[in-house]
Amino acid sequence: AGACGALGVLALQVGRLDTARDLLLQAVALGPHPHFWCALGDTYATMGDGTAALEAYGKARSIDPEWLPAYNNAAVALLQAGRVSEAIELYEGLISRALKRGDPACVKIAGEASSNLAEAYMQQGSLEMARRHQRRAVELCPAHAGIGSNWVRGLACMGEVDPVASLEEHRRWWQTYTRSIAPLRVETERVPDRPLRIGFVSPDFRYHSVAHFLLPLFERHDPARYAFFGYSAAAKEDDYTVRLARSAQ
């Protein structure tokens, strides 16, 4: 069971979804492993089968009610299915369990869940609750760049926000997470008459807000002046992936 499950997790990580599903099904058939049930749920979710994903996450929780990733991943699947109230209930239970345990890893899980809970409240239109939980997430995980990013990004969506205060929060994010990053310097060959080569790397070359913003740029750029190259890390390709690839050069 352990070998099948480990191979299944590796297959999921490299995007071989059918192989991952088959190996993880073998693993869970050989023994009650909540980790492998959760990974099977992740596989189904990536394949777009939300119903099967939720069933797998539920199985993981029934085997071990304290297996925290199964709560978080199930809540994500519920949000994707539009079942926002159920997702909120699951996130709140997850946060309570994680904080009760109290170790650093669980506090990090609670912070990430609080950030996701804020997103759920935003979908529901409960802006004050969204603001409260996103701020709590930052307090729990002050060194987590992703949570800090969610906080500053959400300021524009979470009710009335003073523009000066919003600017200050964005500056604080830069000071905290990016100021120490040294600029990347690359020696390039200068050929004046050649189109400027521009590379894009993203896991979001798919149905995602990033793709919505990039697609008009890709489809309308002047290939005589610019050559676009896309390097996709998307786990699953869709129509947006195809359109971006078609427009890259």
Side-chain angles (χ1 to χ4, degrees):
C4 285
L7 287 171
V9 171
L10 286 172
L12 172 61
Q13 291 173 347
V14 299
R16 297 174 59 182
L17 300 181
D18 290 336
T19 301
R21 178 198 57 207
D22 294 344
L23 286 166
L24 289 165
L25 283 170
Q26 291 181 51
V28 298
L30 293 170
H33 297 280
H35 172 67
F36 296 146
W37 274 108
C38 193
L40 181 60
D42 294 344
T43 303
Y44 282 130
T46 306
M47 297 173 80
D49 190 343
T51 300
L54 286 169
E55 290 177 358
Y57 296 139
K59 186 67 174 179
R61 298 198 307 276
S62 69
I63 295 169
D64 183 357
E66 295 303 314
W67 189 258
L68 301 183
Y71 290 85
N72 183 74
N73 297 4
V76 171
L78 286 168
L79 277 181
Q80 292 175 342
R83 297 160 62 179
V84 180
S85 296
E86 294 173 74
I88 287 174
E89 183 179 355
L90 211 54
Y91 277 132
E92 288 176 340
L94 167 60
I95 294 166
S96 177
R97 280 182 168 85
L99 290 178
K100 185 177 180 180
R101 287 165 63 170
D103 60 88
C106 287
V107 171
K108 181 175 182 288
I109 289 173
E112 292 171 343
S114 295
S115 185
N116 290 338
L117 177 58
E119 296 291 324
Y121 275 119
M122 284 181 65
Q123 288 190 30
Q124 200 179 58
S126 303
L127 301 184
E128 184 54 40
M129 291 295 288
R131 185 197 300 269
R132 182 186 307 172
H133 286 285
Q134 199 64 267
R135 185 181 294 278
R136 185 188 191 194
V138 173
E139 292 170 352
L140 288 169
C141 299
H144 195 305
I147 288 175
S149 179
N150 288 344
W151 167 247
V152 296
R153 175 178 56 83
L155 286 174
C157 310
M158 293 186 290
E160 295 295 328
V161 178
D162 176 59
V164 175
S166 178
L167 176 60
E168 186 58 34
E169 289 292 337
H170 282 76
R171 285 173 171 163
R172 184 178 294 113
W173 187 93
W174 177 78
Q175 291 277 356
T176 303
Y177 304 112
T178 67
R179 190 178 184 184
S180 62
I181 299 175
L184 178 63
R185 301 188 183 280
V186 180
E187 294 296 328
T188 59
E189 181 184 4
R190 297 184 179 276
V191 182
D193 296 329
R194 187 189 71 190
L196 178 64
R197 298 171 180 172
I198 304 173
F200 298 81
V201 183
S202 177
D204 300 324
F205 291 145
R206 54 187 175 85
Y207 184 74
H208 188 276
S209 57
V210 169
H212 282 280
F213 286 116
L214 281 180
L215 193 57
L217 177 65
F218 271 54
E219 292 185 333
R220 291 174 174 81
H221 78 282
D222 183 356
R225 299 179 62 193
Y226 307 104
F228 281 11
F229 298 85
Y231 302 89
S232 176
K236 182 181 179 183
E237 297 184 350
D238 56 25
D239 291 343
Y240 278 82
T241 315
V242 174
R243 289 178 64 185
L244 286 162
R246 187 185 301 130
S247 306
Q249 290 195 45

